[in-house]
PDB file of all heavy atoms in Angstrom:
ATOM      1  N   LYS B 251      80.214  73.112-268.135  1.00  0.00           N
ATOM      2  CA  LYS B 251      80.421  73.091-266.676  1.00  0.00           C
ATOM      3  C   LYS B 251      81.646  73.880-266.232  1.00  0.00           C
ATOM      4  O   LYS B 251      82.697  73.860-266.875  1.00  0.00           O
ATOM      5  CB  LYS B 251      80.562  71.626-266.224  1.00  0.00           C
ATOM      6  CG  LYS B 251      79.267  70.869-266.427  1.00  0.00           C
ATOM      7  CD  LYS B 251      79.327  69.443-265.961  1.00  0.00           C
ATOM      8  CE  LYS B 251      77.954  68.811-266.142  1.00  0.00           C
ATOM      9  NZ  LYS B 251      77.928  67.450-265.683  1.00  0.00           N
ATOM     10  N   THR B 252      81.468  74.603-265.143  1.00  0.00           N
ATOM     11  CA  THR B 252      82.540  75.403-264.574  1.00  0.00           C
ATOM     12  C   THR B 252      83.078  74.722-263.319  1.00  0.00           C
ATOM     13  O   THR B 252      82.324  74.282-262.468  1.00  0.00           O
ATOM     14  CB  THR B 252      81.976  76.782-264.156  1.00  0.00           C
ATOM     15  OG1 THR B 252      81.492  77.452-265.315  1.00  0.00           O
ATOM     16  CG2 THR B 252      83.043  77.648-263.479  1.00  0.00           C
ATOM     17  N   LYS B 253      84.402  74.603-263.255  1.00  0.00           N
ATOM     18  CA  LYS B 253      85.000  74.002-262.058  1.00  0.00           C
ATOM     19  C   LYS B 253      85.587  75.082-261.150  1.00  0.00           C
ATOM     20  O   LYS B 253      86.317  75.942-261.625  1.00  0.00           O
ATOM     21  CB  LYS B 253      86.123  73.023-262.472  1.00  0.00           C
ATOM     22  CG  LYS B 253      85.603  71.770-263.146  1.00  0.00           C
ATOM     23  CD  LYS B 253      86.738  70.850-263.551  1.00  0.00           C
ATOM     24  CE  LYS B 253      86.141  69.661-264.291  1.00  0.00           C
ATOM     25  NZ  LYS B 253      87.158  68.893-265.024  1.00  0.00           N
ATOM     26  N   THR B 254      85.224  75.026-259.895  1.00  0.00           N
ATOM     27  CA  THR B 254      85.727  75.995-258.912  1.00  0.00           C
ATOM     28  C   THR B 254      86.463  75.279-257.821  1.00  0.00           C
ATOM     29  O   THR B 254      86.029  74.225-257.352  1.00  0.00           O
ATOM     30  CB  THR B 254      84.529  76.776-258.318  1.00  0.00           C
ATOM     31  OG1 THR B 254      83.765  77.341-259.377  1.00  0.00           O
ATOM     32  CG2 THR B 254      84.991  77.894-257.400  1.00  0.00           C
ATOM     33  N   ARG B 255      87.587  75.830-257.418  1.00  0.00           N
ATOM     34  CA  ARG B 255      88.367  75.211-256.333  1.00  0.00           C
ATOM     35  C   ARG B 255      88.751  76.308-255.356  1.00  0.00           C
ATOM     36  O   ARG B 255      89.237  77.357-255.769  1.00  0.00           O
ATOM     37  CB  ARG B 255      89.628  74.592-256.938  1.00  0.00           C
ATOM     38  CG  ARG B 255      90.528  73.895-255.966  1.00  0.00           C
ATOM     39  CD  ARG B 255      91.507  73.007-256.704  1.00  0.00           C
ATOM     40  NE  ARG B 255      92.280  73.722-257.704  1.00  0.00           N
ATOM     41  CZ  ARG B 255      93.379  74.414-257.464  1.00  0.00           C
ATOM     42  NH1 ARG B 255      93.832  74.486-256.234  1.00  0.00           N
ATOM     43  NH2 ARG B 255      94.043  75.039-258.420  1.00  0.00           N
ATOM     44  N   PHE B 256      88.500  76.046-254.080  1.00  0.00           N
ATOM     45  CA  PHE B 256      88.950  77.006-253.062  1.00  0.00           C
ATOM     46  C   PHE B 256      90.382  76.709-252.679  1.00  0.00           C
ATOM     47  O   PHE B 256      90.718  75.538-252.398  1.00  0.00           O
ATOM     48  CB  PHE B 256      88.052  76.915-251.833  1.00  0.00           C
ATOM     49  CG  PHE B 256      86.732  77.579-252.047  1.00  0.00           C
ATOM     50  CD1 PHE B 256      85.588  76.848-252.270  1.00  0.00           C
ATOM     51  CD2 PHE B 256      86.634  78.956-252.050  1.00  0.00           C
ATOM     52  CE1 PHE B 256      84.390  77.439-252.477  1.00  0.00           C
ATOM     53  CE2 PHE B 256      85.429  79.580-252.267  1.00  0.00           C
ATOM     54  CZ  PHE B 256      84.303  78.817-252.490  1.00  0.00           C
ATOM     55  N   LEU B 257      91.211  77.715-252.684  1.00  0.00           N
ATOM     56  CA  LEU B 257      92.611  77.528-252.415  1.00  0.00           C
ATOM     57  C   LEU B 257      92.886  76.982-251.011  1.00  0.00           C
ATOM     58  O   LEU B 257      93.677  76.089-250.818  1.00  0.00           O
ATOM     59  CB  LEU B 257      93.350  78.869-252.561  1.00  0.00           C
ATOM     60  CG  LEU B 257      93.453  79.423-253.965  1.00  0.00           C
ATOM     61  CD1 LEU B 257      94.099  80.795-253.912  1.00  0.00           C
ATOM     62  CD2 LEU B 257      94.292  78.502-254.855  1.00  0.00           C
ATOM     63  N   GLU B 258      92.177  77.537-250.048  1.00  0.00           N
ATOM     64  CA  GLU B 258      92.500  77.191-248.668  1.00  0.00           C
ATOM     65  C   GLU B 258      92.171  75.745-248.334  1.00  0.00           C
ATOM     66  O   GLU B 258      92.953  75.057-247.737  1.00  0.00           O
ATOM     67  CB  GLU B 258      91.636  78.065-247.741  1.00  0.00           C
ATOM     68  CG  GLU B 258      92.051  79.499-247.728  1.00  0.00           C
ATOM     69  CD  GLU B 258      91.072  80.339-246.928  1.00  0.00           C
ATOM     70  OE1 GLU B 258      89.997  79.802-246.586  1.00  0.00           O
ATOM     71  OE2 GLU B 258      91.394  81.493-246.678  1.00  0.00           O
ATOM     72  N   ASN B 259      91.013  75.322-248.782  1.00  0.00           N
ATOM     73  CA  ASN B 259      90.550  74.023-248.294  1.00  0.00           C
ATOM     74  C   ASN B 259      90.457  72.963-249.372  1.00  0.00           C
ATOM     75  O   ASN B 259      90.024  71.870-249.103  1.00  0.00           O
ATOM     76  CB  ASN B 259      89.190  74.207-247.618  1.00  0.00           C
ATOM     77  CG  ASN B 259      88.260  74.985-248.514  1.00  0.00           C
ATOM     78  OD1 ASN B 259      88.433  74.979-249.726  1.00  0.00           O
ATOM     79  ND2 ASN B 259      87.294  75.653-247.934  1.00  0.00           N
ATOM     80  N   GLN B 260      90.818  73.321-250.575  1.00  0.00           N
ATOM     81  CA  GLN B 260      90.824  72.362-251.661  1.00  0.00           C
ATOM     82  C   GLN B 260      89.450  71.786-251.966  1.00  0.00           C
ATOM     83  O   GLN B 260      89.334  70.688-252.475  1.00  0.00           O
ATOM     84  CB  GLN B 260      91.833  71.222-251.387  1.00  0.00           C
ATOM     85  CG  GLN B 260      93.245  71.691-251.126  1.00  0.00           C
ATOM     86  CD  GLN B 260      93.836  72.422-252.326  1.00  0.00           C
ATOM     87  OE1 GLN B 260      93.834  71.935-253.429  1.00  0.00           O
ATOM     88  NE2 GLN B 260      94.324  73.635-252.101  1.00  0.00           N
ATOM     89  N   ILE B 261      88.400  72.480-251.551  1.00  0.00           N
ATOM     90  CA  ILE B 261      87.058  72.033-251.930  1.00  0.00           C
ATOM     91  C   ILE B 261      86.846  72.329-253.421  1.00  0.00           C
ATOM     92  O   ILE B 261      87.148  73.428-253.880  1.00  0.00           O
ATOM     93  CB  ILE B 261      85.983  72.777-251.097  1.00  0.00           C
ATOM     94  CG1 ILE B 261      85.983  72.232-249.688  1.00  0.00           C
ATOM     95  CG2 ILE B 261      84.609  72.637-251.736  1.00  0.00           C
ATOM     96  CD1 ILE B 261      84.991  72.911-248.774  1.00  0.00           C
ATOM     97  N   THR B 262      86.406  71.326-254.148  1.00  0.00           N
ATOM     98  CA  THR B 262      86.144  71.575-255.551  1.00  0.00           C
ATOM     99  C   THR B 262      84.665  71.440-255.836  1.00  0.00           C
ATOM    100  O   THR B 262      83.974  70.680-255.185  1.00  0.00           O
ATOM    101  CB  THR B 262      86.915  70.563-256.443  1.00  0.00           C
ATOM    102  OG1 THR B 262      86.544  69.250-256.049  1.00  0.00           O
ATOM    103  CG2 THR B 262      88.414  70.744-256.312  1.00  0.00           C
ATOM    104  N   SER B 263      84.232  72.211-256.779  1.00  0.00           N
ATOM    105  CA  SER B 263      82.800  72.196-257.124  1.00  0.00           C
ATOM    106  C   SER B 263      82.673  72.299-258.634  1.00  0.00           C
ATOM    107  O   SER B 263      83.419  73.045-259.287  1.00  0.00           O
ATOM    108  CB  SER B 263      82.153  73.406-256.442  1.00  0.00           C
ATOM    109  OG  SER B 263      80.970  73.744-257.079  1.00  0.00           O
ATOM    110  N   THR B 264      81.757  71.542-259.180  1.00  0.00           N
ATOM    111  CA  THR B 264      81.524  71.600-260.619  1.00  0.00           C
ATOM    112  C   THR B 264      80.118  72.127-260.867  1.00  0.00           C
ATOM    113  O   THR B 264      79.158  71.512-260.372  1.00  0.00           O
ATOM    114  CB  THR B 264      81.679  70.223-261.270  1.00  0.00           C
ATOM    115  OG1 THR B 264      82.980  69.724-260.923  1.00  0.00           O
ATOM    116  CG2 THR B 264      81.555  70.299-262.785  1.00  0.00           C
ATOM    117  N   SER B 265      80.003  73.232-261.563  1.00  0.00           N
ATOM    118  CA  SER B 265      78.682  73.800-261.752  1.00  0.00           C
ATOM    119  C   SER B 265      77.952  73.093-262.905  1.00  0.00           C
ATOM    120  O   SER B 265      78.571  72.373-263.685  1.00  0.00           O
ATOM    121  CB  SER B 265      78.803  75.290-262.118  1.00  0.00           C
ATOM    122  OG  SER B 265      79.219  75.394-263.485  1.00  0.00           O
ATOM    123  N   GLY B 266      76.669  73.349-262.985  1.00  0.00           N
ATOM    124  CA  GLY B 266      75.916  72.803-264.090  1.00  0.00           C
ATOM    125  C   GLY B 266      76.130  73.659-265.353  1.00  0.00           C
ATOM    126  O   GLY B 266      76.748  74.692-265.303  1.00  0.00           O
ATOM    127  N   GLU B 267      75.575  73.185-266.458  1.00  0.00           N
ATOM    128  CA  GLU B 267      75.668  73.939-267.702  1.00  0.00           C
ATOM    129  C   GLU B 267      74.721  75.117-267.633  1.00  0.00           C
ATOM    130  O   GLU B 267      73.661  75.054-267.030  1.00  0.00           O
ATOM    131  CB  GLU B 267      75.283  73.037-268.889  1.00  0.00           C
ATOM    132  CG  GLU B 267      76.345  72.024-269.180  1.00  0.00           C
ATOM    133  CD  GLU B 267      75.799  70.826-269.963  1.00  0.00           C
ATOM    134  OE1 GLU B 267      74.586  70.777-270.203  1.00  0.00           O
ATOM    135  OE2 GLU B 267      76.606  69.971-270.301  1.00  0.00           O
ATOM    136  N   LYS B 268      75.129  76.212-268.285  1.00  0.00           N
ATOM    137  CA  LYS B 268      74.268  77.386-268.364  1.00  0.00           C
ATOM    138  C   LYS B 268      73.781  77.502-269.813  1.00  0.00           C
ATOM    139  O   LYS B 268      74.594  77.528-270.718  1.00  0.00           O
ATOM    140  CB  LYS B 268      75.038  78.644-267.995  1.00  0.00           C
ATOM    141  CG  LYS B 268      75.573  78.629-266.586  1.00  0.00           C
ATOM    142  CD  LYS B 268      76.479  79.813-266.329  1.00  0.00           C
ATOM    143  CE  LYS B 268      77.120  79.640-264.954  1.00  0.00           C
ATOM    144  NZ  LYS B 268      78.109  80.684-264.650  1.00  0.00           N
ATOM    145  N   THR B 269      72.487  77.543-270.001  1.00  0.00           N
ATOM    146  CA  THR B 269      71.939  77.695-271.365  1.00  0.00           C
ATOM    147  C   THR B 269      70.867  78.800-271.378  1.00  0.00           C
ATOM    148  O   THR B 269      70.169  79.018-270.394  1.00  0.00           O
ATOM    149  CB  THR B 269      71.293  76.405-271.885  1.00  0.00           C
ATOM    150  OG1 THR B 269      70.179  76.084-271.031  1.00  0.00           O
ATOM    151  CG2 THR B 269      72.245  75.233-271.892  1.00  0.00           C
ATOM    152  N   ASN B 270      70.793  79.465-272.487  1.00  0.00           N
ATOM    153  CA  ASN B 270      69.683  80.404-272.696  1.00  0.00           C
ATOM    154  C   ASN B 270      69.556  80.705-274.193  1.00  0.00           C
ATOM    155  O   ASN B 270      70.460  80.369-274.978  1.00  0.00           O
ATOM    156  CB  ASN B 270      69.878  81.686-271.888  1.00  0.00           C
ATOM    157  CG  ASN B 270      71.017  82.547-272.402  1.00  0.00           C
ATOM    158  OD1 ASN B 270      72.171  82.142-272.285  1.00  0.00           O
ATOM    159  ND2 ASN B 270      70.699  83.666-272.973  1.00  0.00           N
TER     160      ASN B 270
END
Side-chain angles (χ1 to χ4, degrees):
Chain B
K251 294 182 177 181
T252 299
K253 288 179 184 166
T254 305
R255 181 165 55 84
F256 284 105
L257 291 175
E258 289 173 349
N259 49 26
Q260 304 299 307
I261 286 177
T262 57
S263 159
T264 305
S265 77
E267 288 158 356
K268 298 172 187 176
T269 62
N270 69 292

